[in-house]
Amino acid sequence: MSAASKRLMHLSQYALARGFASLFHLFEAEQNMRTAGALGTMFARFGAQRLMRAGVNVQRAFPDMPHADATQLAERSIASMFQLFMVESMLTPQRLHKRNWTKCITLGSVGPHMDFLLSNQPAIFVTGHCGNWELLGFSLSVLDFHLTALARPLDNPYFDQWLLGMRRRRGLNVLSKWNVTQELQNIILEGGRIGFIADQNAGDDGLFVPFFGQMASSYKSIGLLAMRYRIPIFVGTAVRETDRLQYRLEIVDRINPQDWEAFEDPLFYITARFNRGIETCIRMAPEQYLWVHRRWKSRPQWERDDKPMPERIVKKLSALPWLSPKDLDCLIHPPKLKKSPAA
């Protein structure tokens, strides 16, 4: 595709999205949520490939779930995805501010960590594509817990600038994921907080750790930053409770430096533990997770070579205190699973 054709396509997509956004402003947010959910359900039923992929991923995570229930959960997750992208991501910057946040946000399990949040100590915040991950960063910024979030630039530059503007409207600073090492270090040294959406597939060369009973590829950067600067990692989510755009903030785990220092491979421990935390977040509202994304696309080298799990990996898994013997056996001898369709 030529540069001119690509630019025209991007402009057309952007104009269509802005048109939908303007139309949605004519109606109440709750009505928009119902409309977006209905469009998502229609898309799921007519977009068989994406529904099948989401359903396969649901059954990978919940192997005992009946097929019909897994398909229904996959359909609900696609409806939730439409609600997030079409309504919540556009309305959150306008509706959420210091004067009204108590009307739409409940702090849930945040309370025990409030002393730290109110301090000037650096930290890393981790979430997944669950609940309203956009609101999680916004809410912390509105409460003056300033956060710098890392985000991959969108392919459409017009969308990218639009979304960046909405994110920054309430004080959420956003950095591109590419070439930001020095900036991240400066933020930490100045006592800042960094936010990651940490459940993306990190490719064949990522660090493979357990996620819903199977090894999944994760980025190493979060653990490496925490280890280098000895700062805690908080794992949390913003769960949507009703179509009236009310949410509950939850911090499900706090990983402190003393937690990982006794382990032979602290990076493996940290990465496994925050993935476990993201899994806990997803279980709170599995219908609000982005099951269409390809979390288990990459496989570890031993699986690609059709070999057993190396003993060094078995040893690292055995050291994780939350894994039961049954969990460990499932990781060492994973069941043969149906592959999800390609994107």
Side-chain angles (χ1 to χ4, degrees), residues 82-113:
F82 270 63
Q83 290 175 319
L84 175 64
F85 292 134
M86 294 181 69
V87 182
E88 293 173 279
S89 62
M90 297 179 188
L91 291 183
T92 296
Q94 299 173 9
R95 291 170 62 102
L96 184 63
H97 47 77
K98 291 182 181 180
R99 297 186 304 277
N100 77 341
W101 70 267
T102 56
K103 295 180 180 179
C104 55
I105 294 176
T106 302
L107 291 182
S109 56
V110 174
H113 309 283

Side-chain angles (χ1 to χ4, degrees), residues 50-102:
R50 285 181 174 81
L51 180 60
M52 184 184 300
R53 183 198 306 161
V56 168
N57 287 335
V58 169
Q59 291 213 284
R60 292 186 76 159
F62 304 105
D64 296 329
M65 182 178 291
H67 177 75
D69 292 348
T71 301
Q72 184 181 51
L73 177 54
E75 186 176 287
R76 291 170 64 197
S77 77
I78 293 175
S80 179
M81 177 181 71
F82 270 63
Q83 290 175 319
L84 175 64
F85 292 134
M86 294 181 69
V87 182
E88 293 173 279
S89 62
M90 297 179 188
L91 291 183
T92 296
Q94 299 173 9
R95 291 170 62 102
L96 184 63
H97 47 77
K98 291 182 181 180
R99 297 186 304 277
N100 77 341
W101 70 267
T102 56

